[in-house]
């Protein structure tokens, strides 16, 4: 390898942004990490043949990552949120759980967001890893998805995307136009800031299972969902009825905060009946204005606790 040729350290510099790209493509942090690991492995094996006159190192890595994601998506079913699969529930029956690969899963901010950015750019970046936006991306065809992410999220030029995909600028522009028209959520916007005082009130109400206080923090049109079940609710009144009717099974729970998908999230620990706690669910809030717009509780997926570095039991109360 000649002096100045890229090394493994050079390749690894792009791990973070590649993971964010692959997460938006695939909707799973676990698949994204696997795709990036495979990207870097293929790049390392192909370094001897890499020619910087044909493409920058970054473009070359994105081309490899895109091809890996497209290969994965050829045989994968679309990931979604419960509200993407059917109308809001009218009763308490949760139905049968669906497999893990049915769901868009949360990802740690540290895994999928750039470490440093100006405030405006950081707000837009947070929105583009939000559960709603990532789920909306899954509606697009894989190539449309790649074009829209590269052009509208990562701000690549049309010529750069055409080179990466081995197509023409006209084809890229056409795919982008179709993708924008098909995207249910519309263009990404700056994410609403998370108010620490709002989160503190939410945690206090949740851990005490104070339904009135909890519901008061929700938007009128808030949604609540609980993967792996397709069951979900819309509206503060419907959510309040469900929480009251449940009999308070989560009373005495502990919520441990983490940062996921550009918003607030928590590891949810349930009392185990023996004086301790057990991992129960992973809760993601989406904030709209000064209220909670949605709560998504991933039940029983302990891999998320490990992914976010959460302990087996919550820290002792101070």
């Amino acid at each position: 390898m000649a002096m100045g040729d890229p090394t493994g350290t050079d390749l690894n510099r792009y791990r973070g942004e590649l993971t964010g790209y692959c997460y938006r493509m695939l909707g799973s942090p676990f698949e994204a990490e696997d795709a990036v690991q495979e990207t870097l492995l293929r790049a390392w094996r192909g370094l001897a043949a890499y020619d910087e006159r044909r493409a920058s190192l970054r473009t070359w890595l994105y081309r490899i990552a895109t091809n890996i994601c497209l290969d994965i998506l050829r045989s994968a079913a679309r990931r979604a949120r419960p509200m993407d699969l059917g109308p809001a529930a009218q009763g308490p029956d949760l139905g049968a759980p669906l497999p893990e690969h049915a769901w868009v899963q949360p990802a740690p901010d540290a895994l999928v967001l750039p470490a440093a950015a100006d405030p405006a750019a950081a707000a837009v970046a947070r929105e583009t890893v939000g559960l709603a936006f990532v789920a909306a991306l899954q509606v697009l065809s894989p190539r449309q998805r790649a074009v829209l992410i590269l052009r509208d999220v990562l701000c690549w030029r049309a010529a750069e995307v055409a080179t990466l995909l081995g197509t023409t600028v006209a084809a890229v522009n056409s795919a982008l136009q179709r993708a924008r028209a098909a995207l249910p959520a519309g263009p990404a916007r700056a994410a609403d800031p998370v108010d620490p005082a709002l989160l503190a009130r939410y945690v206090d109400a949740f851990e005490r299972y104070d339904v009135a206080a909890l519901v008061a923090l929700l938007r009128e049109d808030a949604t609540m969902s609980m993967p792996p079940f397709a069951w979900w609710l819309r509206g503060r009144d419907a959510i309040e009825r469900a929480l009251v009717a449940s009999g308070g099974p989560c009373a005495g729970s502990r919520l441990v905060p983490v940062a996921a998908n550009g918003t607030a999230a928590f590891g949810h620990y349930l009392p185990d009946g023996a004086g301790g706690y057990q991992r129960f669910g992973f809760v993601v809030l989406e904030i709209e204005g000064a209220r909670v717009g949605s709560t998504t509780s991933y039940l029983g997926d302990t891999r998320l606790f490990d992914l976010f570095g959460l302990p087996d039991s919550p820290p002792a109360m101070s």
Side-chain angles (χ1 to χ4, degrees):
M1 187 176 294
M3 183 70 68
D5 284 347
T7 65
T9 300
D10 295 323
L11 298 180
N12 207 53
R13 279 206 331 260
Y14 295 95
R15 180 183 291 273
E17 63 177 279
L18 287 170
T19 305
Y21 173 63
C22 292
Y23 173 66
R24 294 176 178 98
M25 286 289 291
L26 301 171
S28 163
F30 304 106
E31 288 187 351
E33 285 193 306
D34 289 345
V36 171
Q37 191 63 29
E38 179 64 19
T39 296
L40 297 179
L41 180 60
R42 290 187 191 182
W44 175 251
R45 289 172 174 169
L47 274 179
Y50 167 66
D51 185 351
E52 65 181 3
R53 294 169 298 180
R54 299 181 61 184
S56 69
L57 182 62
R58 183 172 185 250
T59 299
W60 183 57
L61 288 170
Y62 269 87
R63 180 185 298 138
I64 298 171
T66 299
N67 288 333
I68 290 170
C69 288
L70 294 178
D71 286 344
I72 292 171
L73 292 168
R74 284 191 183 97
S75 59
R78 175 172 75 92
R79 290 178 178 268
R81 299 178 303 160
M83 53 281 297
D84 302 321
L85 302 180
Q90 299 301 314
D93 182 17
L94 297 180
L98 298 180
E100 173 275 328
H101 60 72
W103 307 113
V104 168
Q105 297 171 305
D109 282 3
L111 191 67
V112 297
L113 286 175
D118 69 84
V124 172
R126 290 198 307 272
E127 181 69 17
T128 65
V129 294
L131 288 177
F133 188 78
V134 174
L137 288 173
Q138 310 309 303
V139 173
L140 305 177
S141 72
R143 285 181 72 85
Q144 285 180 348
R145 204 178 306 175
V147 168
L148 187 134
I149 296 168
L150 290 167
R151 291 283 285 120
D152 282 359
V153 176
L154 301 180
C155 300
W156 286 40
R157 297 191 303 272
E160 293 176 306
V161 178
T163 298
L164 183 147
L165 294 175
T167 187
T168 65
V169 169
V172 166
N173 289 335
S174 176
L176 179 61
Q177 186 177 24
R178 293 196 303 273
R180 286 172 174 169
L183 197 66
R189 60 176 181 83
D192 291 331
V194 176
D195 179 5
L198 172 65
L199 296 185
R201 293 196 300 272
Y202 182 89
V203 170
D204 175 66
F206 189 101
E207 293 183 344
R208 292 186 295 107
Y209 207 76
D210 185 334
V211 173
L214 198 59
V215 170
L217 301 175
L218 304 179
R219 285 173 53 95
E220 185 67 35
D221 60 350
T223 62
M224 180 176 75
S225 59
M226 298 190 300
F229 301 99
W231 179 94
W232 67 283
L233 296 174
R234 180 183 296 281
R236 196 160 53 197
D237 292 342
I239 293 172
E240 181 175 22
R241 288 193 297 270
L243 293 177
V244 170
S246 70
C250 295
S253 292
R254 291 281 308 281
L255 295 182
V256 177
V258 293
N261 295 79
T263 188
F266 304 91
H268 176 192
Y269 296 82
L270 198 66
D272 62 9
Y277 293 87
Q278 59 186 348
R279 293 171 165 187
F280 179 69
F282 190 89
V283 183
V284 180
L285 304 185
E286 293 184 68
I287 308 300
E288 298 180 41
R291 291 285 185 270
V292 176
S294 75
T295 65
T296 306
S297 299
Y298 293 82
L299 305 181
D301 191 345
T302 58
R303 292 193 308 160
L304 291 174
F305 283 75
D306 296 331
L307 179 68
F308 282 82
L310 287 163
D312 290 336
S313 298
M317 299 285 284
S318 57

